[in-house]
Amino acid sequence: MSDLPHVALVTGGSRGIGRAVAERLAADGFEVYLTYVSRPEEAEKTVAAIEAAGGKAKAFQLDSGDRQAVADFFGLEIKGQVALDVLVNNAGITRDGLMMRMKDDDWDKVIAINLTGCFTFLKEASKIMGKQRSGRIVNITSVVGQMGNAGQTNYSAAKAGLIGLTKSAARELAARGITVNAVAPGFIETDMTAKLPEKIVEAMLEEIPLKSLGNVEDIAAAVAFLAGPGAGYITGQVLGVNGGMYM
Ligand code: NAP
């Protein structure tokens, strides 16, 4: 076992699902490195909450869409500095709109952050974890990557792509003792879903067999399981946490 600090890196760990994942992994004993892009005050709140609970965390402003910045971050903060036990690819954005009217920029941005950004982190993390010959990677996809959603062609394409990326990376990295899985949340109460009109939320509830939106801790528990000691023989899987949708 390495003497270096054992780190779980959570992208977009400053708010929403990422914050809950960061808090949960810190409670499980990892030092948490979290990234954010635009709201340092939220990132600091997460770090403070983890420290108040007796854990360790650091926040880094790092745009998942900036490949060079991500490579520099791994070179400076990860390589030779820490044991990277866990990567959670969570940072994500939406730019919803019907396909006929979707701006090219809204397509490009969502693919850049939600899919290419995850690839960049996976690629960098796999170099470090490959040398360690151990590691757990959890990608946060979405139920809409499995079932599609009108108004989210960009987002569901990115999330479906992330499932393919997860399965292929799992096959490539298995021989080095690295597992790669995805968690596919349904509709979870966060800033992302707070933007949705009430009518859409009502329509969603109709489709959820358990008849409620999920909460961030439901996702954090699934991520913690896949990052924890009980999941060493699980790789290339997509764990739906969605109240029974898409059965
Ligand atoms: P959220 O509340 O909007 O939080 C998004 C997080 O990602 C924030 O920490 C944000 O940082 C960070 N982020 C955004 N763009 C970034 C970038 N370019 N580089 C680095 N960090 C960036 O979202 P959420 O609802 O928690 O969603 C988290 C993940 O779960 C996403 O991948 C989302 O697609 C997925 N998901 C969510 C739901 C749901 O119902 N909420 C359902 C299925 C899947 P700043 O605060 O600095 O902007």
Side-chain angles (χ1 to χ4, degrees), residues 40-62:
E41 69 289 355
E42 295 297 320
E44 286 315 319
K45 267 191 222 162
T46 308
V47 170
I50 289 172
E51 287 175 350
K56 279 189 169 175
K58 280 187 197 166
F60 300 88
Q61 185 181 32
L62 179 56

Side-chain angles (χ1 to χ4, degrees), residues 12 14-15 17 37-39 63-64 90 141 155 159 186 188 190:
S14 55
R15 287 189 284 127
I17 290 172
V37 66
S38 61
R39 294 168 61 171
D63 182 351
S64 290
N90 164 80
T141 177
Y155 183 79
K159 294 298 190 184
I188 308 300
T190 68

Side-chain angles (χ1 to χ4, degrees), residues 114-223:
N114 295 8
L115 181 56
T116 311
C118 292
F119 167 72
T120 312
F121 271 89
L122 244 165
K123 183 176 166 182
E124 294 299 332
S126 66
K127 294 180 206 165
I128 308 282
M129 291 176 173
K131 283 218 177 85
Q132 295 170 182
R133 302 198 81 75
S134 67
R136 299 287 175 85
I137 297 172
V138 183
N139 296 319
I140 307 299
T141 177
S142 168
V143 69
V144 307
Q146 299 171 301
M147 63 188 277
N149 198 19
Q152 291 197 308
T153 48
N154 51 358
Y155 183 79
S156 38
K159 294 298 190 184
L162 186 53
I163 292 175
L165 175 58
T166 300
K167 289 177 178 286
S168 298
R171 287 179 182 271
E172 283 191 17
L173 299 176
R176 292 162 192 244
I178 302 164
T179 67
V180 189
N181 292 291
V183 169
F187 292 99
I188 308 300
E189 281 185 87
T190 68
D191 293 346
M192 192 177 265
T193 42
K195 287 189 259 178
L196 295 170
E198 206 169 306
K199 255 183 145 178
I200 303 262
V201 175
E202 275 168 23
M204 275 174 193
L205 282 171
E206 282 298 305
E207 284 195 42
I208 303 173
L210 285 176
K211 294 290 169 224
S212 63
L213 298 189
N215 58 56
V216 292
E217 287 79 17
D218 295 324
I219 308 305
V223 173

